[in-house]
């Protein structure tokens, strides 16, 4: 179904006419209010309170260092504690000699789950 096309000029003219009528009614009420009682002043609005940011606090992530032996395809073969670097290098050398492909040792940091 097709919608009827609205004429914006006619709608605006109607809205302005309605505003003029409201203003005329308000003026008429003001005259009556002045004669009878004192006019009530509108209450002042309080300024809106500022919102606090809802950003999450970043968690402290604890990391532990390890020595890892990797092959040529960056696949981790073995994992050693940080103080066992010599053992990790020895393992890499043994794997390099036995398999014929280069293996190397690299520092790896992993998250500690408590």
């Amino acid at each position: 179904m097709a919608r009827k096309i609205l004429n914006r000029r006619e709608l605006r003219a109607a809205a302005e006419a309605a505003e003029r009528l409201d203003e005329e009614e308000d003026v008429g009420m003001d005259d009556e209010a002045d004669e009878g009682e004192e006019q009530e002043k509108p209450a002042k609005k309080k300024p809106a309170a500022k919102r606090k940011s809802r950003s999450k606090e970043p968690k402290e992530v604890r990391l532990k260092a390890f020595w890892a032996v990797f092959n040529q395809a960056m696949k981790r073969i073995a994992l050693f504690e940080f103080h066992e670097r010599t053992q990790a290098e020895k393992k890499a050398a043994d794997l390099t000699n036995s398999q014929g492909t280069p293996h190397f040792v690299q520092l790896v940091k992993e998250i500690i789950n408590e």
Side-chain angles (χ1 to χ4, degrees), residues 13-72:
E16 289 176 353
E19 286 179 8
R20 276 189 238 119
L21 287 175
D22 287 341
E23 289 175 3
E24 289 174 4
E25 290 175 3
D26 290 342
V27 171
M29 288 182 173
D30 289 342
D31 294 337
E32 294 171 7
D34 288 340
E35 294 172 2
E37 303 173 9
E38 289 186 23
Q39 195 177 26
E40 293 182 23
K41 295 182 180 178
K44 292 185 178 180
K45 294 183 180 179
K46 294 181 182 178
K50 292 185 179 180
R51 288 181 79 186
K52 294 180 181 178
S53 68
R54 293 186 180 182
S55 62
K56 292 184 179 180
E57 297 288 328
K59 287 186 176 180
E60 274 191 41
V61 179
R62 295 184 62 199
L63 301 174
K64 185 173 180 180
F66 294 97
W67 292 109
V69 178
F70 289 93
N71 66 3
Q72 217 171 1

Side-chain angles (χ1 to χ4, degrees), residues 53-112:
S53 68
R54 293 186 180 182
S55 62
K56 292 184 179 180
E57 297 288 328
K59 287 186 176 180
E60 274 191 41
V61 179
R62 295 184 62 199
L63 301 174
K64 185 173 180 180
F66 294 97
W67 292 109
V69 178
F70 289 93
N71 66 3
Q72 217 171 1
M74 290 297 294
K75 182 177 177 186
R76 188 166 71 186
I77 306 297
L79 190 66
F80 294 90
E81 293 288 330
F82 184 76
H83 65 278
E84 299 174 341
R85 181 174 186 175
T86 55
Q87 294 171 354
E89 289 176 348
K90 183 186 278 186
K91 175 80 171 182
D94 291 344
L95 289 171
T96 301
N97 293 335
S98 66
Q99 294 182 0
T101 58
H103 289 72
F104 59 93
V105 177
Q106 188 173 3
L107 183 68
V108 175
K109 294 180 183 178
E110 292 191 355
I111 298 172
I112 300 173

